[in-house]
RNA sequence: GCCCAGGUGGUGGAAUUGGUAGACACGCAAGAUUCAGGUUCUUGUGCUCGCAAGGGUGUGCUGGUUCGAGUCCAGUCCUGGGCACCA
């Protein structure tokens, strides 16, 4: 093969990447004349290098983007950087550098890598969340939320390393110890900022039932996370003093069986209710619980423990005097932080009662059975028949639930309520590399928002990184010291920064008008593009990121910035990239380096393999030999086109009426493939089967012989279509071949071809003949053949007769165009 | 424990509506080209019986529905994921 005929991916790819960049092929603006399509892949954290997960994610997205573009859509396909976060700070400590330097270097390198992939991004819209031009608007939003009461401060517990004097994220706590110094981690209570996502719990839940474009399992995970439960709040009057303990329960049908009360150790009444003689023991218990880290405390094998406060309350249904305990398994954040304990019908209460020898009263029994409290080995948690419950005796517990709730409301002893598992979103991070929370603390005025005119609060550059002594910001006097915007007296800045999930909760909105100077988003432009038509990313973000982004969308809607209820119409969650049976990771040593891959095979091969090896939502098993196979395929495509180049250049115009049988058959294969590829991409996102279909077509074309003038025309059409069909998957080689086939417009700018329906119609059908459901023969018949003729042919078939001779034909079933099944016996 | 996916050749996977199971690719085997290796090309390749024609068998397991089941139903086992003291 001569040198110019050789497939040289690296040369070709650089050439066309430059071409698309020069021509600004993928730059878009709002165009009311075209249908819009907003395609988005989750933006990467600039960790240093892209990994195979990115290659896969962005290859999938690029097929959709290029395909939709060829289909006439105005495609918005942006890319950016989720650039704040802890790794930058850790790297700074380790390398004695600055998080900004580290981050921007990584971005430059990774941008280059993405460009080498040939992805169809509108790079003019690129953004980095650590840029003040981005995070300044987030500060504005924070203040708008603050004004609406959607951002607020409250006491909350954090993991605290007393030796490093710093807050630790959950993943920095290893077996209860600090990851850096190995000292014991404590729980420390700090004032922290929260977003009131719970205000939107119901709407977030309701919409999960109106999102057909999302995978059901993601919706289920979000519903579980939101965790709505309906029940009652019931007041239990305190004995011998004013006041009451309010509980939340979903099992008000067991109220008559409540024999004691369990409070969270952090409950406000915990110490108040403790009698002097119990005080020492109770305090010791509270102390012990506080020292236990939250992960351990909520582990399933954690032993139930408690302590008696010395006080009693009254069961509002029975008048029974109930001892009040503190229990380590009661969570202060959920419900009211207090639980009415029904040991006969709740397993936790049962174990607790057995341990502390508390009374058991059965109030629900299985149909036709009498439970003996003394003999019970576990709580009975199923529905049943009510007993020992006064006027409700004999009723089914299911319906009594509603009646007891009504009765409590009438008596003024309780009311029906809804509770959510979802908690407000704590956004304070005692970190440097994040968006500063724009608040000033004044001794006279309290928390004061930074005035609009003083925004943004710019993250100062000149800080020291030691990893100790808390956030670097908190030690930077020049940052902290500020005059109160209200009274002018000396005040102090908030030194906490925001959780990086905040930035990723609205970046998709900023992409619509990334240059807008007047606010977070330019409403007109954002209204044109939103919602995101297709969002693609890893399943690991099923809950947090995707829920926060939904929350922010609703908040920004209510603040008047945007018009949509939901950010992402369709969601595709792609599977992981696996090698040797495990997720790629440095520790396992099974990492494939995208740079090396592209250098050796080119981006087209890397893209093709990650699309061909598995459907997008499944895990992908990386296999070097499979990559070789894809490279071979591209070489065969290259060779095929060049082999026929001179023949098709001189080809006559295609005349479909003048084709030989052989030519028609070849053309049928081409148009059938085009039909399948179109449908596989557009309707199913099954890129692996689309590619397989093109491979099959290539096998057919390789065997073709050019015998007549028209066969040159058929081959020319075949090669044009073959190249066009492959364009979304392997854009560089196809642009090159397209040009060599004599076309002058860029392939990216051509319309996706339409298949000729007439050419896909079979002239003969293959009918499968079964006897008693077993395949025995095949018949080739004319398309329009009638049922009786097919049946007769099937029965007369020699291979069929072998199995029907001497048998009685009981029934003959004909599925038109498919098969005949003869029932004999 | 609860919920959700999934289980198909030596491997990744295909079978879109209940109608030819294993497309396509990898691997393997034989052959051609080559001094040789690599590349490229041709042929074969679920298992099994058979020289062959052909037969039997086969989609985790056990049943069921149906003329016909990888696909539907019931049960069961295994794998992966999510949730889990949430009152």
């Amino acid at each position: 093969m001569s040198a110019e005929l050789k497939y040289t991916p690296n040369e070709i790819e650089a050439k066309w990447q430059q071409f698309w960049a020069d021509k600004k092929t993928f730059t878009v603006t709002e165009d009311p004349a075209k249908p819009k399509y907003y395609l988005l892949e989750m933006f990467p954290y600039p960790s240093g290098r892209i990994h195979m997960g990115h290659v896969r994610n962005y290859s999938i997205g690029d097929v959709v983007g290029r395909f939709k573009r060829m289909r006439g859509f105005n495609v918005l396909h942006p890319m950016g950087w989720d650039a704040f976060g802890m790794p930058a700070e850790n790297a700074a400590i380790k390398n004695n550098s600055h998080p900004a330097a580290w981050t921007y270097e990584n971005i430059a390198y990774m941008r280059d890598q993405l460009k080498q992939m040939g992805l169809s991004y509108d790079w003019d819209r690129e953004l980095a969340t650590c840029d003040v031009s981005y995070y300044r608007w987030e500060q504005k939003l924070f203040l708008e939320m603050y004004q609406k009461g959607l951002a607020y401060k409250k006491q909350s517990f954090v993991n605290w390393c007393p030796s490093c004097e710093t807050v630790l994220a959950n993943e920095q706590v290893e077996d209860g110890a600090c990851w850096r110094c190995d000292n014991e981690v404590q729980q420390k209570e700090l004032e922290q900022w929260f977003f009131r996502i719970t205000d939107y719990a119901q709407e977030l839940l309701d919409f999960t039932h109106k999102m057909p474009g999302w995978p059901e399992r993601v919706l289920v995970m979000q519903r579980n996370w939101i965790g709505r439960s309906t029940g009652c709040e019931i007041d239990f009057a305190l004995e011998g003093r004013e006041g009451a303990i309010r509980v939340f329960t979903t099992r008000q049908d067991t109220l008559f069986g409540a024999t004691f009360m369990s409070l969270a150790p952090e409950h406000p009444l915990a110490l108040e209710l403790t009698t002097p003689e119990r005080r020492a023991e109770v305090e010791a218990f509270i102390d012990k619980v506080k020292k236990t880290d939250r992960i351990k405390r909520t582990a399933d094998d954690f032993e139930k423990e408690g302590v008696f406060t010395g006080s009693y309350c009254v069961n509002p249904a029975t008048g029974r005097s109930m001892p009040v305990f503190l229990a380590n398994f009661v969570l202060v954040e959920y419900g009211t932080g207090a639980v009415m304990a029904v040991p006969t019908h709740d397993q936790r209460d049962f174990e607790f009662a057995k341990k502390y020898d508390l009374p058991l009263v059965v109030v629900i029994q299985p149909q036709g059975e009498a439970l003996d409290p003394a003999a019970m080995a576990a709580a009975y948690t199923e529905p049943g028949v009510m007993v020992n419950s006064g006027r409700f005796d004999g009723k089914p517990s299911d319906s009594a639930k509603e009646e007891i709730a009504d009765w409590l409301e009438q008596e003024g002893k309780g009311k029906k309520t809804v509770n959510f598992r979802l908690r407000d979103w704590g956004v304070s991070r005692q970190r440097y590399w994040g968006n500063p929370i724009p608040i000033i603390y004044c001794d006279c005025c309290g928390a004061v928002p930074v005035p609009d005119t003083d925004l943004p609060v710019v993250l100062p550059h000149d800080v020291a990184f030691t990893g100790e002594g808390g956030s670097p910001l908190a030690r930077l006097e020049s940052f902290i010291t500020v005059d109160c915007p209200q009274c002018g007296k000396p005040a102090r800045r908030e030194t906490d920064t925001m959780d990086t999930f905040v930035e990723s909760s609205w970046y998709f909105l900023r992409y619509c008008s990334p240059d807008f100077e007047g606010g977070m988003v330019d409403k007109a432009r954002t209204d044109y593009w939103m919602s995101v038509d297709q969002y693609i990313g890893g399943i690991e973000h099923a809950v947090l990121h995707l829920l926060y982004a939904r929350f922010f969308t609703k908040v920004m809607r209510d603040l008047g910035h945007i018009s949509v209820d939901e950010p992402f119409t369709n969601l595709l969650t792609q599977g992981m990239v696996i090698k040797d049976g495990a997720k790629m990771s440095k520790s396992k040593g099974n990492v494939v380096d995208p740079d090396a891959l592209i250098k050796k095979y080119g981006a087209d091969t890397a893209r093709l393999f990650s699309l061909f090896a598995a459907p997008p939502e499944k895990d992908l098993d990386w296999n070097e030999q499979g990559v070789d196979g894809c490279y071979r395929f591209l070489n065969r495509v290259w060779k095929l086109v060049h082999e026929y180049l001179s023949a098709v250049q001189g080809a006559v115009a295609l005349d479909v009426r003048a084709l030989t049988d052989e030519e028609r058959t070849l053309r049928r294969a081409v148009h059938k493939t085009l039909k399948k590829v179109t449908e596989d991409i557009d309707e199913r996102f099954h890129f692996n089967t689309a590619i397989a279909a093109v491979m099959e077509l290539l096998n057919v074309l390789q065997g073709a012989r050019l015998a007549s003038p028209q066969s040159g025309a058929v081959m020319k059409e075949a090669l044009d279509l073959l190249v066009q069909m492959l364009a979304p998957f392997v854009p560089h080689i196809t642009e090159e071949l397209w040009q060599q086939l004599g076309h002058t417009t860029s392939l990216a700018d051509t319309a996706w071809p339409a298949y000729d329906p007439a050419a896909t119609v079979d002239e003969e059908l293959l009918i499968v003949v079964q006897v008693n459901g077993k395949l025995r023969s095949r018949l080739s018949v004319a398309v329009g053949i009638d049922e009786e003729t097919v049946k007769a042919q099937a029965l007369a078939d020699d291979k069929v007769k072998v199995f029907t001779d001497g048998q009685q034909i009981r029934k003959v079933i004909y599925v038109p165009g498919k098969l005949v099944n003869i029932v004999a016996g």
Side-chain angles (χ1 to χ4, degrees), chain A residues 661-673:
Chain A
D661 285 352
E662 202 179 337
E663 288 156 1
R664 266 206 314 282
T665 303
L666 186 66
R667 190 159 182 271
R668 187 178 307 121
V670 173
H671 283 267
K672 275 190 163 180
T673 305

Side-chain angles (χ1 to χ4, degrees), chain A residues 381-612:
Chain A
T381 55
E382 300 296 307
V385 183
M386 308 279 294
V387 290
N388 297 324
S389 298
R391 53 198 284 201
F392 301 102
D393 280 356
K395 296 190 171 178
S397 62
D398 281 337
S399 57
K401 220 178 210 182
E402 195 57 31
E403 288 176 43
I404 289 179
D406 290 336
W407 172 72
L408 285 167
E409 287 198 338
Q410 281 160 27
E411 299 282 315
K413 289 174 172 166
K415 63 174 204 283
K416 296 180 201 173
T417 48
V418 173
N419 231 298
F420 293 94
R421 201 190 81 106
L422 181 70
R423 314 268 201 270
D424 276 340
W425 175 13
V427 295
S428 292
R429 295 291 180 272
Q430 292 72 35
R431 295 278 156 199
Y432 165 74
W433 194 233
N435 187 7
I437 293 172
I439 293 286
I440 290 164
Y441 298 106
C442 169
D443 287 341
C444 306
C445 312
V448 181
V450 173
D452 265 9
T453 48
D454 292 347
L455 286 180
V457 177
V458 177
L459 190 64
H461 194 269
D462 53 334
V463 289
F465 295 96
T466 58
E468 286 149 32
S471 162
L473 278 186
R475 283 175 287 138
L476 192 66
E477 269 313 311
S478 60
F479 178 76
I480 299 168
T481 310
V482 67
D483 291 339
C484 171
Q486 265 175 33
C487 67
K489 286 183 193 151
R492 297 170 62 79
R493 273 193 204 284
E494 170 67 79
T495 59
D496 284 355
T497 54
M498 287 187 232
D499 180 5
T500 56
F501 273 112
V502 181
E503 283 88 62
S504 55
S505 294
W506 69 283
Y507 76 109
F508 48 92
L509 295 168
R510 185 67 186 172
Y511 278 141
C512 299
S513 51
D515 55 346
F516 187 57
E517 294 279 339
M520 293 186 88
V521 296
D522 179 347
K523 186 151 194 297
R525 283 194 270 166
T526 310
D527 281 350
Y528 173 85
W529 290 114
M530 285 298 289
S531 302
V532 174
D533 294 276
Q534 184 66 57
Y535 196 32
I536 306 172
I539 186 77
E540 65 272 20
H541 295 109
V543 178
L544 291 182
H545 162 58
L546 288 168
L547 192 65
Y548 292 151
R550 294 182 58 215
F551 164 56
F552 256 48
T553 300
K554 291 174 192 302
V555 168
M556 286 185 64
R557 174 200 63 195
D558 290 347
L559 289 169
H561 293 298
I562 58 171
S563 309
V564 297
D565 294 312
E566 285 289 337
F568 314 122
T569 309
N570 295 293
L571 174 70
L572 176 70
T573 49
Q574 111 250 1
M576 285 188 303
V577 181
I578 304 281
K579 191 165 180 283
D580 311 324
K583 188 181 173 173
M584 283 189 187
S585 72
K586 270 187 204 149
S587 58
K588 296 210 179 67
N590 61 348
V591 177
V592 176
D593 175 27
D595 278 348
L597 185 70
I598 289 171
K599 197 169 174 211
K600 184 170 176 193
Y601 297 99
D604 280 339
T605 297
R607 293 169 57 123
L608 191 65
F609 179 74
S610 49
L611 296 162
F612 177 64

Side-chain angles (χ1 to χ4, degrees), chain A residues 105-374:
Chain A
E105 273 165 32
N106 288 347
I107 287 175
Y109 191 85
M110 290 170 74
R111 181 195 298 118
D112 217 51
Q113 288 186 301
L114 292 186
K115 287 192 171 176
Q116 282 178 40
M117 289 275 303
L119 302 165
S120 62
Y121 296 126
D122 178 356
W123 282 106
D124 290 355
R125 292 172 188 262
E126 179 184 1
L127 58 82
T129 58
C130 63
D131 260 25
V132 67
S133 62
Y134 182 83
Y135 71 72
R136 62 181 301 185
W137 302 115
E138 194 168 292
Q139 294 178 2
K140 183 86 167 63
L141 182 77
F142 182 95
L143 293 176
E144 286 179 31
M145 289 174 74
Y146 177 70
Q147 248 106 52
K148 287 256 180 188
L150 289 169
Y152 68 98
K153 255 199 137 173
K154 73 171 181 193
Q155 293 278 326
S156 169
F157 286 93
V158 294
N159 299 308
W160 177 259
C161 173
S163 154
C164 300
E165 292 190 299
T166 192
V167 171
L168 301 173
N170 281 339
E171 53 271 24
Q172 293 176 323
V173 181
E174 295 165 353
D175 289 325
C178 173
W179 66 313
R180 290 188 68 230
C181 68
D182 227 28
N183 274 295
E184 194 179 327
V185 173
Q186 297 179 348
Q187 296 302 304
K188 188 177 176 181
E189 199 169 28
L190 289 178
E191 277 251 296
Q192 308 219 71
W193 287 95
F194 284 82
F195 286 156
R196 215 178 284 280
I197 191 172
T198 51
D199 269 15
Y200 287 83
Q202 189 64 52
E203 195 191 337
L204 287 166
L205 180 65
D206 289 343
F207 268 86
T208 64
H209 296 284
K210 297 184 269 187
M211 295 162 72
W214 281 41
E216 186 59 25
R217 63 179 182 139
V218 174
L219 295 173
V220 167
M221 281 161 75
Q222 293 213 349
R223 281 176 211 138
N224 288 341
W225 190 263
I226 295 166
R228 184 184 196 268
S229 47
T230 54
C232 284
E233 280 183 0
I234 307 173
D235 286 338
F236 287 67
L238 291 166
E239 223 166 66
R241 53 175 287 174
E242 283 296 295
I245 297 171
R246 176 165 292 182
V247 304
F248 170 73
T249 181
T250 58
R251 292 298 305 275
Q252 60 272 16
D253 52 329
T254 64
L255 174 60
F256 288 79
T259 53
F260 62 100
M261 175 67 69
S262 303
L263 302 186
E266 301 91 342
H267 195 282
L269 288 174
L271 280 174
E272 238 183 287
L273 291 180
T274 301
T275 54
E277 67 274 17
R278 309 272 330 145
R279 191 159 192 95
E281 204 182 325
V282 168
E283 279 179 347
F285 177 75
I286 293 174
D287 210 45
K288 184 181 168 194
V289 173
K290 272 189 180 167
K291 270 192 183 147
T292 318
D293 83 76
R294 300 162 65 75
I295 297 162
K296 242 193 233 163
R297 189 171 155 193
T298 52
D300 58 351
D301 53 355
F302 197 65
E303 202 191 337
K304 287 158 196 50
E305 280 183 18
V307 64
F308 178 45
T309 60
S311 291
Y312 293 83
C313 63
V314 182
N315 185 320
T318 60
R320 171 192 272 274
S321 179
M322 299 163 51
V324 179
F325 277 73
L326 306 187
N328 62 356
F329 63 88
V330 180
L331 307 173
V332 72
E333 309 96 336
Y334 187 77
T336 60
V339 181
M340 69 174 206
V342 187
T344 43
H345 304 294
D346 181 287
Q347 188 57 29
R348 293 157 301 179
D349 297 341
F350 183 83
E351 287 168 31
F352 197 86
K354 285 286 175 192
K355 180 162 181 168
Y356 295 101
D357 202 19
L358 294 158
L360 280 67
V361 177
V362 170
V363 291
I364 296 172
Q365 294 194 334
Q367 192 76 45
E369 204 185 309
L371 290 174
D372 172 13

Side-chain angles (χ1 to χ4, degrees), chain A residues 801-813:
Chain A
K801 275 184 168 166
V802 174
F803 295 93
T804 53
D805 267 0
Q807 309 260 359
Q808 196 188 340
I809 307 294
R810 300 185 187 278
K811 204 168 168 185
V812 181
I813 290 144

